[in-house]
Amino acid sequence: DLATPARLAPRAGGGVYVTDPPTNQVIEYDGSGAVVASYNVPEVPVGIAVHTDGRVFLSRGDGEIGVYDAAFTLLGVVDPSPMTLSRPNDLAFDAVTGDLYAVDSGAHQVLVFVESAPGTWTFDRAWGAEGSGMGEFVSPEAITVDPTLGRVLVTDVDNFRVQVFDTTGLFLFKF
């Protein structure tokens, strides 16, 4: 069913969504791995995260982060102002704080967005820069949030490591 699976996120009620950028699709699987549905996203879906209410966030090849309902109808886009998105890659949603995290591979940063009004996602904070020091990245690709420990983990691909931060962006350790 997949040409080049890129990112995945658990879906509400069990199962997972998997992005497949070359086919411009998001494939929905149930808990046993059976295909439930496939959704065409012409803007090239890359990263994916799911809100606790079932809304789906997609980082896209057009440089935007889209917000969709569970049927993949576009509800809006995340406003990165005053930042600009260079190459948004992976996404993570913190179910405890309600924050949306995005790793921007082109800008070598982590950006955090909040829902400032119903359906309106705005920039809140960012950290990182290009480099090899602690808290710096070269091609960060994936991100996840551990809400229990209040940690954000980022794969720092070209520095061959995973960096761990608290939710404010304070560097904690690497491995």
Side-chain angles (χ1 to χ4, degrees):
D1 302 325
L2 298 165
T4 308
R7 305 285 182 267
L8 54 88
R11 68 182 182 99
V16 297
Y17 292 111
V18 180
T19 62
D20 196 6
T23 65
N24 295 339
Q25 292 194 359
V26 176
I27 312 297
E28 181 180 1
Y29 295 89
D30 68 15
S32 70
V35 174
V36 173
S38 63
Y39 306 96
N40 187 42
V41 180
E43 299 83 8
V44 186
V46 180
I48 188 166
V50 180
H51 192 287
T52 52
D53 67 10
R55 286 180 289 173
V56 179
F57 304 97
L58 288 177
S59 62
R60 307 181 320 200
D62 66 355
E64 301 269 30
I65 298 172
V67 183
Y68 298 81
D69 66 15
F72 284 84
T73 301
L74 181 64
L75 301 173
V77 294
V78 172
D79 180 6
S81 300
M83 308 295 279
T84 49
L85 294 170
S86 174
R87 199 173 79 224
N89 202 323
D90 202 15
L91 304 170
F93 181 74
D94 186 334
V96 172
T97 64
D99 293 343
L100 174 65
Y101 290 79
V103 63
D104 190 333
S105 298
H108 312 282
Q109 289 185 315
V110 172
L111 293 95
V112 184
F113 302 94
V114 296
E115 192 167 21
S116 55
T120 303
W121 291 85
T122 56
F123 173 78
D124 185 63
R125 62 192 180 278
W127 66 83
E130 186 173 10
S132 59
M134 299 305 103
E136 297 176 335
F137 306 103
V138 178
S139 296
E141 296 259 334
I143 189 167
T144 193
V145 175
D146 180 340
T148 304
L149 295 176
R151 294 183 175 169
V152 179
L153 293 84
V154 181
T155 61
D156 187 9
V157 175
D158 287 346
N159 281 323
F160 311 102
R161 63 189 178 188
V162 173
Q163 295 194 64
V164 182
F165 303 87
D166 71 9
T167 56
T168 68
L170 176 68
F171 173 79
L172 299 174
F173 61 92
K174 68 175 176 73
F175 59 91

